[in-house]
Amino acid sequence: MTKNKDKDRSARDTHYATLRRQVRDAKREKGEIPTPPLKRRKSNTDWTPPSLQPDQVFLYGLHTVRAALENRERQIIKLSATQNALARLELPDSGSLKYPVEVVSPQDIDRVLGPEAIHQGVMLETRPLPVRRLEALKESPLLLVLDQVTDPHNVGAIMRSAVAFGAGAVITTQRHSPTESGVLAKSASGALELIPYIQITNLSDALSELHKLGFFTIGLDSEGPHPLEGSFSGEKIALVLGSEGKGLRQKTRETVNALARLDMPGAIKSLNVSNAAAIALYATRQFLLRS
């Protein structure tokens, strides 16, 4: 059989396979045939997370690790990766690197991170980023403050929005907030390396310090007395968002300069905290640009 006939047959088979899938999908939508169950990722019930030292962090995922490697403030201990992941990272010659590189299998990384981590064949052992102080943020016109937002996926998404809209830092509490971790960094998709993540002991004291530095603080509350766009004041603004369930704590409400709401004309009146943060950051950035 000639190559042209082989190509014709391959194209014809692909066409008929596509038609068969379309027919099956249509029948499933009508309920004529059952939908197959989703394949679940393999789980290792015997796996236990490694005991980490206070100055030890494991980051994973190609985008996250690439951003960490490009961050000059990041103190790297060791890079572990598969041959394929190393090729995708496009690192310079290993002899010029200041950290060791270990070629491993995906299963080797699974044993450290667990079976649920989507590591893409790369893991970076590193020290936590340097501690930042509020005093260093006095020149930034926009900050984001989180009042006990506990979900690292939400905090990571918020960090991405904060970087996108040019915020100077994400400030949160040491208690009831995620610490620097692989999950947080993966959710932030590189943003952890681009914006200070400052954890403070007492939020009320931190807000008072921000007031002394010239920031006008606005707490986002679904029952706030005024819409956000009518609550801005000054040249430096710190937005304060509450936890996923309870919102702002009473002490935080009493400390901020203003409480404001996001007006939503639709039937749904509340948003995930990461979505609310993105909208509030955009509105605040527009006000600061106009002023």
Side-chain angles (χ1 to χ4, degrees):
M1 184 178 290
T2 65
K3 290 184 178 180
N4 287 337
K5 289 184 178 179
D6 288 339
K7 289 181 179 179
D8 291 342
R9 170 180 281 185
S10 177
R12 188 167 58 251
D13 291 346
T14 301
H15 173 69
Y16 287 132
T18 301
L19 291 177
R20 286 195 296 270
R21 282 195 299 270
Q22 291 174 345
V23 171
R24 285 199 303 269
D25 291 343
K27 287 184 177 181
R28 283 171 182 151
E29 289 181 2
K30 296 177 182 179
E32 296 176 0
I33 60 174
T35 300
L38 293 174
K39 293 183 179 179
R40 304 186 65 179
R41 287 174 55 86
K42 292 182 179 179
S43 178
N44 184 358
T45 56
D46 297 329
W47 178 81
T48 55
S51 179
L52 300 180
Q53 299 299 318
D55 62 346
Q56 187 180 31
V57 177
F58 284 106
L59 305 179
Y60 57 88
L62 285 166
H63 193 70
T64 301
V65 168
R66 188 180 290 113
L69 293 175
E70 294 174 353
N71 185 359
R72 295 182 178 180
E73 294 188 340
R74 190 57 89 170
Q75 185 180 349
I76 299 166
I77 300 173
K78 184 176 67 174
L79 173 65
S80 302
T82 63
Q83 286 284 9
N84 182 52
L86 279 176
R88 296 176 68 184
L89 284 173
E90 298 180 339
L91 298 176
D93 182 77
S94 58
S96 63
L97 299 176
K98 298 180 180 179
Y99 49 85
V101 177
E102 180 183 16
V103 178
V104 298
S105 69
Q107 291 74 26
D108 293 329
I109 301 178
D110 287 343
R111 280 191 282 271
V112 178
L113 301 178
E116 301 300 321
I118 305 175
H119 51 70
Q120 298 174 291
V122 61
M123 176 179 69
L124 187 68
E125 184 179 353
T126 176
R127 302 293 184 210
L129 289 168
V131 175
R132 300 287 187 90
R133 304 297 179 188
L134 295 180
E135 177 68 23
L137 305 175
K138 59 184 178 182
E139 301 301 326
S140 176
L142 175 59
L143 302 177
L144 195 59
V145 183
L146 306 180
D147 185 6
Q148 296 191 350
V149 177
T150 58
D151 188 341
H153 298 91
N154 277 336
V155 175
I158 288 169
M159 294 182 79
R160 293 178 64 185
S161 296
V163 171
F165 291 108
V170 174
I171 302 166
T172 187
T173 53
Q174 290 181 352
R175 296 183 62 191
H176 307 294
S177 298
T179 58
E180 184 180 338
S181 67
V183 175
L184 175 63
K186 188 73 164 59
S187 301
S189 190
L192 179 61
E193 311 299 326
L194 301 174
I195 188 170
Y197 182 56
I198 301 175
Q199 293 188 289
I200 45 85
T201 304
N202 186 292
L203 183 56
S204 179
D205 291 346
L207 291 174
S208 297
E209 185 175 346
L210 291 178
H211 294 158
K212 294 177 182 177
L213 294 174
F215 285 91
F216 186 80
T217 57
I218 303 176
L220 270 290
D221 189 303
S222 60
E223 299 181 357
H226 306 289
L228 177 62
E229 55 269 31
S231 302
F232 297 125
S233 179
E235 297 180 352
K236 296 195 293 185
I237 295 174
L239 296 169
V240 188
L241 287 87
S243 65
E244 295 90 343
K246 299 179 180 179
L248 297 174
R249 290 176 293 167
Q250 184 60 36
K251 184 65 173 177
T252 305
R253 294 167 181 264
E254 297 170 355
T255 307
V256 295
N257 293 126
L259 289 172
R261 66 180 184 271
L262 293 176
D263 274 342
M264 288 169 278
I268 295 177
K269 300 300 181 182
S270 63
L271 295 173
N272 175 279
V273 64
S274 64
N275 293 330
I279 295 171
L281 284 165
Y282 174 80
T284 308
R285 174 56 64 184
Q286 294 305 301
F287 167 79
L288 291 172
L289 289 174
R290 289 193 301 268
S291 61

PDB file of all heavy atoms in Angstrom, residues 57-81:
ATOM      1  N   VAL A  57      11.024  24.916  52.457  1.00  0.00           N
ATOM      2  CA  VAL A  57       9.825  25.004  51.635  1.00  0.00           C
ATOM      3  C   VAL A  57      10.040  24.192  50.365  1.00  0.00           C
ATOM      4  O   VAL A  57      11.122  24.248  49.765  1.00  0.00           O
ATOM      5  CB  VAL A  57       9.509  26.471  51.258  1.00  0.00           C
ATOM      6  CG1 VAL A  57       8.291  26.537  50.334  1.00  0.00           C
ATOM      7  CG2 VAL A  57       9.275  27.312  52.504  1.00  0.00           C
ATOM      8  N   PHE A  58       9.026  23.432  49.957  1.00  0.00           N
ATOM      9  CA  PHE A  58       9.060  22.698  48.695  1.00  0.00           C
ATOM     10  C   PHE A  58       8.088  23.362  47.726  1.00  0.00           C
ATOM     11  O   PHE A  58       6.893  23.456  47.998  1.00  0.00           O
ATOM     12  CB  PHE A  58       8.668  21.235  48.890  1.00  0.00           C
ATOM     13  CG  PHE A  58       9.747  20.389  49.497  1.00  0.00           C
ATOM     14  CD1 PHE A  58       9.673  19.971  50.817  1.00  0.00           C
ATOM     15  CD2 PHE A  58      10.854  20.010  48.749  1.00  0.00           C
ATOM     16  CE1 PHE A  58      10.671  19.196  51.386  1.00  0.00           C
ATOM     17  CE2 PHE A  58      11.864  19.239  49.290  1.00  0.00           C
ATOM     18  CZ  PHE A  58      11.784  18.826  50.618  1.00  0.00           C
ATOM     19  N   LEU A  59       8.607  23.825  46.603  1.00  0.00           N
ATOM     20  CA  LEU A  59       7.787  24.394  45.548  1.00  0.00           C
ATOM     21  C   LEU A  59       7.733  23.417  44.381  1.00  0.00           C
ATOM     22  O   LEU A  59       8.673  22.643  44.179  1.00  0.00           O
ATOM     23  CB  LEU A  59       8.363  25.725  45.069  1.00  0.00           C
ATOM     24  CG  LEU A  59       8.604  26.791  46.139  1.00  0.00           C
ATOM     25  CD1 LEU A  59       9.199  28.041  45.510  1.00  0.00           C
ATOM     26  CD2 LEU A  59       7.320  27.121  46.890  1.00  0.00           C
ATOM     27  N   TYR A  60       6.656  23.450  43.609  1.00  0.00           N
ATOM     28  CA  TYR A  60       6.528  22.514  42.487  1.00  0.00           C
ATOM     29  C   TYR A  60       5.679  23.122  41.384  1.00  0.00           C
ATOM     30  O   TYR A  60       4.973  24.101  41.580  1.00  0.00           O
ATOM     31  CB  TYR A  60       5.943  21.183  42.952  1.00  0.00           C
ATOM     32  CG  TYR A  60       4.599  21.291  43.645  1.00  0.00           C
ATOM     33  CD1 TYR A  60       3.414  21.260  42.913  1.00  0.00           C
ATOM     34  CD2 TYR A  60       4.511  21.400  45.032  1.00  0.00           C
ATOM     35  CE1 TYR A  60       2.185  21.348  43.542  1.00  0.00           C
ATOM     36  CE2 TYR A  60       3.280  21.493  45.668  1.00  0.00           C
ATOM     37  CZ  TYR A  60       2.126  21.459  44.919  1.00  0.00           C
ATOM     38  OH  TYR A  60       0.903  21.550  45.540  1.00  0.00           O
ATOM     39  N   GLY A  61       5.791  22.494  40.202  1.00  0.00           N
ATOM     40  CA  GLY A  61       5.110  23.003  39.019  1.00  0.00           C
ATOM     41  C   GLY A  61       6.067  23.846  38.188  1.00  0.00           C
ATOM     42  O   GLY A  61       6.855  24.621  38.730  1.00  0.00           O
ATOM     43  N   LEU A  62       6.021  23.682  36.875  1.00  0.00           N
ATOM     44  CA  LEU A  62       6.981  24.343  36.000  1.00  0.00           C
ATOM     45  C   LEU A  62       6.957  25.863  36.131  1.00  0.00           C
ATOM     46  O   LEU A  62       8.000  26.502  36.282  1.00  0.00           O
ATOM     47  CB  LEU A  62       6.716  23.942  34.542  1.00  0.00           C
ATOM     48  CG  LEU A  62       7.153  22.525  34.150  1.00  0.00           C
ATOM     49  CD1 LEU A  62       6.540  22.132  32.811  1.00  0.00           C
ATOM     50  CD2 LEU A  62       8.669  22.438  34.079  1.00  0.00           C
ATOM     51  N   HIS A  63       5.779  26.468  36.064  1.00  0.00           N
ATOM     52  CA  HIS A  63       5.695  27.927  36.109  1.00  0.00           C
ATOM     53  C   HIS A  63       6.150  28.460  37.459  1.00  0.00           C
ATOM     54  O   HIS A  63       6.885  29.454  37.539  1.00  0.00           O
ATOM     55  CB  HIS A  63       4.264  28.378  35.806  1.00  0.00           C
ATOM     56  CG  HIS A  63       4.148  29.847  35.521  1.00  0.00           C
ATOM     57  ND1 HIS A  63       4.639  30.412  34.367  1.00  0.00           N
ATOM     58  CD2 HIS A  63       3.636  30.862  36.252  1.00  0.00           C
ATOM     59  CE1 HIS A  63       4.414  31.726  34.382  1.00  0.00           C
ATOM     60  NE2 HIS A  63       3.803  32.018  35.522  1.00  0.00           N
ATOM     61  N   THR A  64       5.723  27.790  38.523  1.00  0.00           N
ATOM     62  CA  THR A  64       6.091  28.211  39.873  1.00  0.00           C
ATOM     63  C   THR A  64       7.590  28.113  40.101  1.00  0.00           C
ATOM     64  O   THR A  64       8.228  29.041  40.618  1.00  0.00           O
ATOM     65  CB  THR A  64       5.350  27.350  40.909  1.00  0.00           C
ATOM     66  OG1 THR A  64       3.945  27.489  40.717  1.00  0.00           O
ATOM     67  CG2 THR A  64       5.710  27.755  42.320  1.00  0.00           C
ATOM     68  N   VAL A  65       8.176  26.989  39.711  1.00  0.00           N
ATOM     69  CA  VAL A  65       9.610  26.781  39.921  1.00  0.00           C
ATOM     70  C   VAL A  65      10.417  27.732  39.043  1.00  0.00           C
ATOM     71  O   VAL A  65      11.429  28.298  39.489  1.00  0.00           O
ATOM     72  CB  VAL A  65       9.981  25.312  39.631  1.00  0.00           C
ATOM     73  CG1 VAL A  65      11.495  25.135  39.560  1.00  0.00           C
ATOM     74  CG2 VAL A  65       9.393  24.415  40.709  1.00  0.00           C
ATOM     75  N   ARG A  66       9.984  27.942  37.817  1.00  0.00           N
ATOM     76  CA  ARG A  66      10.707  28.856  36.928  1.00  0.00           C
ATOM     77  C   ARG A  66      10.741  30.271  37.521  1.00  0.00           C
ATOM     78  O   ARG A  66      11.779  30.942  37.505  1.00  0.00           O
ATOM     79  CB  ARG A  66      10.058  28.871  35.549  1.00  0.00           C
ATOM     80  CG  ARG A  66      10.859  29.645  34.517  1.00  0.00           C
ATOM     81  CD  ARG A  66      10.186  29.629  33.150  1.00  0.00           C
ATOM     82  NE  ARG A  66      10.227  28.309  32.536  1.00  0.00           N
ATOM     83  CZ  ARG A  66       9.172  27.554  32.320  1.00  0.00           C
ATOM     84  NH1 ARG A  66       7.972  27.969  32.694  1.00  0.00           N
ATOM     85  NH2 ARG A  66       9.284  26.374  31.746  1.00  0.00           N
ATOM     86  N   ALA A  67       9.611  30.719  38.072  1.00  0.00           N
ATOM     87  CA  ALA A  67       9.564  32.049  38.686  1.00  0.00           C
ATOM     88  C   ALA A  67      10.470  32.119  39.912  1.00  0.00           C
ATOM     89  O   ALA A  67      11.137  33.133  40.149  1.00  0.00           O
ATOM     90  CB  ALA A  67       8.122  32.391  39.073  1.00  0.00           C
ATOM     91  N   ALA A  68      10.511  31.044  40.702  1.00  0.00           N
ATOM     92  CA  ALA A  68      11.364  31.019  41.893  1.00  0.00           C
ATOM     93  C   ALA A  68      12.840  31.057  41.509  1.00  0.00           C
ATOM     94  O   ALA A  68      13.652  31.739  42.160  1.00  0.00           O
ATOM     95  CB  ALA A  68      11.055  29.786  42.729  1.00  0.00           C
ATOM     96  N   LEU A  69      13.201  30.341  40.466  1.00  0.00           N
ATOM     97  CA  LEU A  69      14.598  30.330  40.023  1.00  0.00           C
ATOM     98  C   LEU A  69      15.040  31.699  39.510  1.00  0.00           C
ATOM     99  O   LEU A  69      16.226  32.042  39.593  1.00  0.00           O
ATOM    100  CB  LEU A  69      14.789  29.281  38.921  1.00  0.00           C
ATOM    101  CG  LEU A  69      14.624  27.811  39.346  1.00  0.00           C
ATOM    102  CD1 LEU A  69      14.716  26.903  38.122  1.00  0.00           C
ATOM    103  CD2 LEU A  69      15.663  27.416  40.380  1.00  0.00           C
ATOM    104  N   GLU A  70      14.109  32.481  39.004  1.00  0.00           N
ATOM    105  CA  GLU A  70      14.431  33.804  38.484  1.00  0.00           C
ATOM    106  C   GLU A  70      14.412  34.881  39.566  1.00  0.00           C
ATOM    107  O   GLU A  70      14.806  36.024  39.305  1.00  0.00           O
ATOM    108  CB  GLU A  70      13.447  34.174  37.373  1.00  0.00           C
ATOM    109  CG  GLU A  70      13.576  33.298  36.128  1.00  0.00           C
ATOM    110  CD  GLU A  70      12.501  33.583  35.099  1.00  0.00           C
ATOM    111  OE1 GLU A  70      11.574  34.364  35.418  1.00  0.00           O
ATOM    112  OE2 GLU A  70      12.582  33.024  33.993  1.00  0.00           O
ATOM    113  N   ASN A  71      13.963  34.523  40.771  1.00  0.00           N
ATOM    114  CA  ASN A  71      13.877  35.483  41.872  1.00  0.00           C
ATOM    115  C   ASN A  71      15.208  35.533  42.617  1.00  0.00           C
ATOM    116  O   ASN A  71      15.621  34.566  43.247  1.00  0.00           O
ATOM    117  CB  ASN A  71      12.743  35.083  42.821  1.00  0.00           C
ATOM    118  CG  ASN A  71      12.523  36.106  43.922  1.00  0.00           C
ATOM    119  OD1 ASN A  71      13.218  37.119  44.001  1.00  0.00           O
ATOM    120  ND2 ASN A  71      11.551  35.836  44.777  1.00  0.00           N
ATOM    121  N   ARG A  72      15.884  36.655  42.569  1.00  0.00           N
ATOM    122  CA  ARG A  72      17.204  36.784  43.200  1.00  0.00           C
ATOM    123  C   ARG A  72      17.147  36.698  44.721  1.00  0.00           C
ATOM    124  O   ARG A  72      18.157  36.430  45.369  1.00  0.00           O
ATOM    125  CB  ARG A  72      17.852  38.111  42.776  1.00  0.00           C
ATOM    126  CG  ARG A  72      18.176  38.191  41.281  1.00  0.00           C
ATOM    127  CD  ARG A  72      18.854  39.493  40.945  1.00  0.00           C
ATOM    128  NE  ARG A  72      19.212  39.566  39.528  1.00  0.00           N
ATOM    129  CZ  ARG A  72      19.824  40.599  38.977  1.00  0.00           C
ATOM    130  NH1 ARG A  72      20.138  41.669  39.720  1.00  0.00           N
ATOM    131  NH2 ARG A  72      20.119  40.589  37.687  1.00  0.00           N
ATOM    132  N   GLU A  73      15.975  36.946  45.287  1.00  0.00           N
ATOM    133  CA  GLU A  73      15.846  36.876  46.736  1.00  0.00           C
ATOM    134  C   GLU A  73      15.603  35.451  47.229  1.00  0.00           C
ATOM    135  O   GLU A  73      15.614  35.193  48.430  1.00  0.00           O
ATOM    136  CB  GLU A  73      14.707  37.773  47.207  1.00  0.00           C
ATOM    137  CG  GLU A  73      14.964  39.254  46.971  1.00  0.00           C
ATOM    138  CD  GLU A  73      13.910  40.108  47.618  1.00  0.00           C
ATOM    139  OE1 GLU A  73      12.809  39.578  47.914  1.00  0.00           O
ATOM    140  OE2 GLU A  73      14.178  41.295  47.857  1.00  0.00           O
ATOM    141  N   ARG A  74      15.399  34.537  46.333  1.00  0.00           N
ATOM    142  CA  ARG A  74      15.114  33.146  46.680  1.00  0.00           C
ATOM    143  C   ARG A  74      16.420  32.387  46.938  1.00  0.00           C
ATOM    144  O   ARG A  74      17.301  32.363  46.106  1.00  0.00           O
ATOM    145  CB  ARG A  74      14.339  32.540  45.527  1.00  0.00           C
ATOM    146  CG  ARG A  74      13.730  31.181  45.721  1.00  0.00           C
ATOM    147  CD  ARG A  74      12.804  31.067  46.869  1.00  0.00           C
ATOM    148  NE  ARG A  74      11.416  31.371  46.628  1.00  0.00           N
ATOM    149  CZ  ARG A  74      10.465  31.114  47.529  1.00  0.00           C
ATOM    150  NH1 ARG A  74      10.774  30.579  48.687  1.00  0.00           N
ATOM    151  NH2 ARG A  74       9.220  31.425  47.290  1.00  0.00           N
ATOM    152  N   GLN A  75      16.552  31.800  48.125  1.00  0.00           N
ATOM    153  CA  GLN A  75      17.729  30.988  48.470  1.00  0.00           C
ATOM    154  C   GLN A  75      17.398  29.522  48.184  1.00  0.00           C
ATOM    155  O   GLN A  75      16.627  28.893  48.893  1.00  0.00           O
ATOM    156  CB  GLN A  75      18.117  31.175  49.933  1.00  0.00           C
ATOM    157  CG  GLN A  75      19.394  30.450  50.324  1.00  0.00           C
ATOM    158  CD  GLN A  75      19.759  30.657  51.787  1.00  0.00           C
ATOM    159  OE1 GLN A  75      19.168  31.515  52.461  1.00  0.00           O
ATOM    160  NE2 GLN A  75      20.701  29.888  52.300  1.00  0.00           N
ATOM    161  N   ILE A  76      18.012  28.986  47.147  1.00  0.00           N
ATOM    162  CA  ILE A  76      17.671  27.652  46.660  1.00  0.00           C
ATOM    163  C   ILE A  76      18.597  26.602  47.259  1.00  0.00           C
ATOM    164  O   ILE A  76      19.815  26.799  47.329  1.00  0.00           O
ATOM    165  CB  ILE A  76      17.757  27.617  45.121  1.00  0.00           C
ATOM    166  CG1 ILE A  76      16.747  28.621  44.534  1.00  0.00           C
ATOM    167  CG2 ILE A  76      17.492  26.221  44.579  1.00  0.00           C
ATOM    168  CD1 ILE A  76      16.956  28.923  43.084  1.00  0.00           C
ATOM    169  N   ILE A  77      18.016  25.492  47.673  1.00  0.00           N
ATOM    170  CA  ILE A  77      18.790  24.385  48.239  1.00  0.00           C
ATOM    171  C   ILE A  77      19.048  23.324  47.165  1.00  0.00           C
ATOM    172  O   ILE A  77      20.192  22.923  46.934  1.00  0.00           O
ATOM    173  CB  ILE A  77      18.043  23.753  49.426  1.00  0.00           C
ATOM    174  CG1 ILE A  77      17.812  24.802  50.526  1.00  0.00           C
ATOM    175  CG2 ILE A  77      18.828  22.562  49.980  1.00  0.00           C
ATOM    176  CD1 ILE A  77      16.938  24.317  51.659  1.00  0.00           C
ATOM    177  N   LYS A  78      17.988  22.873  46.486  1.00  0.00           N
ATOM    178  CA  LYS A  78      18.163  21.812  45.491  1.00  0.00           C
ATOM    179  C   LYS A  78      16.990  21.782  44.526  1.00  0.00           C
ATOM    180  O   LYS A  78      15.840  22.002  44.924  1.00  0.00           O
ATOM    181  CB  LYS A  78      18.302  20.443  46.180  1.00  0.00           C
ATOM    182  CG  LYS A  78      18.574  19.299  45.215  1.00  0.00           C
ATOM    183  CD  LYS A  78      18.809  17.983  45.963  1.00  0.00           C
ATOM    184  CE  LYS A  78      17.579  17.498  46.667  1.00  0.00           C
ATOM    185  NZ  LYS A  78      17.770  16.141  47.263  1.00  0.00           N
ATOM    186  N   LEU A  79      17.305  21.509  43.262  1.00  0.00           N
ATOM    187  CA  LEU A  79      16.279  21.317  42.241  1.00  0.00           C
ATOM    188  C   LEU A  79      16.222  19.845  41.873  1.00  0.00           C
ATOM    189  O   LEU A  79      17.238  19.241  41.543  1.00  0.00           O
ATOM    190  CB  LEU A  79      16.609  22.150  40.994  1.00  0.00           C
ATOM    191  CG  LEU A  79      15.708  21.930  39.769  1.00  0.00           C
ATOM    192  CD1 LEU A  79      14.276  22.372  40.055  1.00  0.00           C
ATOM    193  CD2 LEU A  79      16.264  22.672  38.554  1.00  0.00           C
ATOM    194  N   SER A  80      15.024  19.265  41.951  1.00  0.00           N
ATOM    195  CA  SER A  80      14.807  17.873  41.552  1.00  0.00           C
ATOM    196  C   SER A  80      13.824  17.870  40.393  1.00  0.00           C
ATOM    197  O   SER A  80      12.742  18.462  40.484  1.00  0.00           O
ATOM    198  CB  SER A  80      14.250  17.050  42.714  1.00  0.00           C
ATOM    199  OG  SER A  80      15.120  17.090  43.828  1.00  0.00           O
ATOM    200  N   ALA A  81      14.197  17.183  39.299  1.00  0.00           N
ATOM    201  CA  ALA A  81      13.336  17.216  38.115  1.00  0.00           C
ATOM    202  C   ALA A  81      13.583  16.007  37.236  1.00  0.00           C
ATOM    203  O   ALA A  81      14.650  15.389  37.274  1.00  0.00           O
ATOM    204  CB  ALA A  81      13.584  18.505  37.321  1.00  0.00           C
TER     205      ALA A  81
END
